[in-house]
Amino acid sequence: MGTQITIDSLVKVFGNGKTAATACDHLSLTIEPGELFFLLGPSGCGKTTLLRMIAGFIDPTAGTIAFDGKDVTHDAPNKRNTGMVFQSYALWPHMTVAQNVAFGLNVRKIANPEKDQRVIDALAAVQMEEYAARKPNQLSGGQQQRVALARALVIKPDVLLLDEPLSNLDAKLRNDLRLQIRRICKDSGITTVYVTHDQKEALSMADRVALLKLGQIVQIGTPRELYRAPESQFVAEFLGETNLIDAQLQAGSIEHPRYKIEAGVFSGPSGKITGDNNQPDTKQTLSIRPEAIRLRKEQSENTLPGVLIETAYLGETAQHLVEIKGCPPVKIAEMNPYGSTSAVHPNPGDQVLVEFLADDMVPINKDASQ
Ligand code: ADP
Ligand code: MG
């Protein structure tokens, strides 16, 4: 079950001469059978273009796309058996839910009783059986999107393609549907490519994520790999909040690195310094997530002195901003603030002690252009 998708040196250039725009730039990627794979990136980075080339709606300028080793690069969409779900649902308003779902089966000349059974099964997969007789305008946005998903699934596609399917829904519904869509994709075993600009959606749903920028893959990995081991400033900053701290790596400390900034010396992650980052006595950039920094009552191994600038109280978390000599204002996220686990409750202007969690910081490459 599930189709492997192999993309090799894929290029798409729109227009020509001075107006030429490269939406996909020699991109290579293998998506494994049954994988729920995410294309993530800012608006305009080429996600939709790549998805539509996989579907066959856009003809690539160069490179190849293969399904299970068979070249489909220039095959028409109806020759590839892909199912597609769009941000706008794109349901037929004059048809009932059942008729909308049956549409692709009619096109494929699949007759009863198989047709009715497949419509029932597809609606059951998205928990919409009860709504079979309704028209789309009698459904909520979330229900319409589940019908659109059923309509894509009913044809038993080799590959399911979703382009920002939750972007038109409100936040609460988006959260509910994330888990439902993940379950439906994993239960069906269909290889799924899911496009979004929302990092929370990608982190919470994906088996693997490719983060795109200017038509190229910047980094690829599981949600945890991307969040915890970003290789560049772009990745660290796109996947949530981070602090970028320039520090001096002290001589002879590569295995158990010691870093110096104006406020003092602190330990970094053991055994993580490789490649470009292995020169002692040079400046390195460390990415430290706000949740990997703590306010402490007492001085300990990795604490530095600072002054609280301000605190934003958000209920389940508080966001503190602290001035530490030698780095930009440091963002700290505290869970359960003012609760029983809260160590200190400083006011703006107070001296504070700040602990950097050594194993949670990541040496990264600072981007040349931001
Ligand atoms: P995303 O889905 O990540 O927002 P797109 O794939 O839609 O990005 O677009 C990538 C780039 O290609 C953008 O710069 C966009 O303006 C350009 N582009 C997309 N479609 C066309 C088109 N039909 N003609 C010209 N340029 C296009
Ligand atoms: Mg798009």
Side-chain angles (χ1 to χ4, degrees):
M1 255 291 247
T3 299
Q4 186 188 54
I5 306 172
T6 316
I7 295 166
D8 191 18
S9 273
L10 201 65
V11 177
K12 181 64 195 180
V13 181
F14 288 108
N16 48 43
K18 276 197 176 133
T19 59
T22 304
C24 186
D25 191 1
H26 296 88
L27 188 146
S28 297
L29 172 66
T30 299
I31 300 173
E32 298 303 336
E35 199 170 18
L36 176 48
F37 193 92
F38 270 65
L39 301 173
L40 174 69
S43 178
C45 70
K47 305 180 295 294
T48 294
T49 302
L50 178 54
L51 198 74
R52 294 179 74 88
M53 286 193 286
I54 297 171
F57 295 119
I58 294 179
D59 199 35
T61 308
T64 59
I65 302 170
F67 288 178
D68 280 341
K70 178 182 169 285
D71 190 326
V72 298
T73 314
H74 302 291
D75 287 359
N78 61 1
K79 294 275 180 318
R80 326 191 169 191
N81 201 33
T82 58
M84 190 121 179
V85 177
F86 304 93
Q87 181 177 338
S88 60
Y89 324 137
L91 299 177
W92 299 104
H94 59 287
M95 291 184 190
T96 65
V97 163
Q99 288 166 340
N100 265 285
V101 174
F103 186 78
L105 299 178
N106 293 333
V107 171
R108 285 169 173 74
K109 307 220 176 337
I110 290 167
N112 274 329
E114 185 187 346
K115 183 170 86 172
D116 282 352
Q117 190 57 50
R118 279 171 68 171
V119 170
I120 290 168
D121 291 346
L123 286 174
V126 300
Q127 294 169 340
M128 286 293 292
E129 314 99 296
E130 290 165 39
Y131 300 85
R134 293 225 193 150
K135 295 273 177 67
N137 67 5
Q138 297 170 310
L139 302 175
S140 70
Q143 290 169 334
Q144 289 185 55
Q145 196 53 301
R146 274 146 65 194
V147 174
L149 188 57
R151 189 182 50 180
L153 289 170
V154 77
I155 62 162
K156 299 192 176 152
D158 295 325
V159 172
L160 180 64
L161 305 169
L162 303 112
D163 194 351
E164 313 252 6
L166 304 182
S167 297
N168 280 353
L169 306 174
D170 63 52
K172 165 106 179 58
L173 202 53
R174 261 200 321 261
N175 281 341
D176 294 348
L177 277 180
R178 279 177 194 163
L179 290 173
Q180 287 188 34
I181 292 182
R182 177 169 168 88
R183 179 184 52 74
I184 292 162
C185 292
K186 298 314 291 186
D187 285 355
S188 70
I190 298 170
T191 308
T192 303
V193 189
Y194 188 123
V195 160
T196 186
H197 65 273
D198 180 338
Q199 90 273 9
K200 290 252 163 67
E201 216 162 282
L203 289 178
S204 63
M205 294 176 69
D207 290 325
R208 281 193 306 154
V209 181
L211 182 56
L212 269 60
K213 183 185 179 185
L214 298 173
Q216 294 180 328
I217 294 175
V218 184
Q219 194 173 339
I220 189 166
T222 64
R224 212 190 290 180
E225 284 165 353
L226 255 60
Y227 188 82
R228 292 196 54 83
E231 286 161 7
S232 64
Q233 180 178 353
F234 177 75
V235 178
E237 291 182 331
F238 198 85
L239 290 160
E241 298 249 22
T242 198
N243 295 286
L244 295 176
I245 295 177
D246 290 327
Q248 191 98 13
L249 177 64
Q250 299 205 305
S253 73
I254 286 179
E255 260 311 297
H256 300 285
R258 298 281 292 162
Y259 290 101
K260 186 169 172 38
I261 58 173
E262 194 184 336
V265 176
F266 61 94
S267 296
S270 297
K272 277 200 198 161
I273 298 180
T274 52
D276 302 345
N277 284 319
N278 66 0
Q279 295 303 314
D281 283 325
T282 55
K283 278 255 151 116
Q284 288 197 354
T285 302
L286 296 164
S287 168
I288 314 181
R289 299 282 186 196
E291 66 273 20
I293 307 178
R294 290 197 290 216
L295 290 176
R296 303 301 264 170
K297 220 175 220 154
E298 275 137 40
Q299 190 131 2
S300 71
E301 168 133 11
N302 242 20
T303 51
L304 293 169
V307 175
L308 185 73
I309 301 169
E310 63 183 19
T311 295
Y313 178 66
L314 300 171
E316 84 277 26
T317 57
Q319 294 173 350
H320 307 286
L321 203 59
V322 173
E323 177 80 54
I324 295 177
K325 283 213 170 70
C327 51
V330 172
K331 291 171 277 189
I332 303 173
E334 183 187 5
M335 288 299 291
N336 194 25
Y338 308 103
S340 58
T341 52
S342 186
V344 286
H345 310 142
N347 293 309
D350 287 355
Q351 301 277 337
V352 290
L353 287 167
V354 175
E355 181 188 19
F356 291 169
L357 301 181
D359 286 333
D360 296 331
M361 56 182 88
V362 187
I364 59 163
N365 298 313
K366 211 166 184 177
D367 296 350
S369 58
Q370 273 287 303

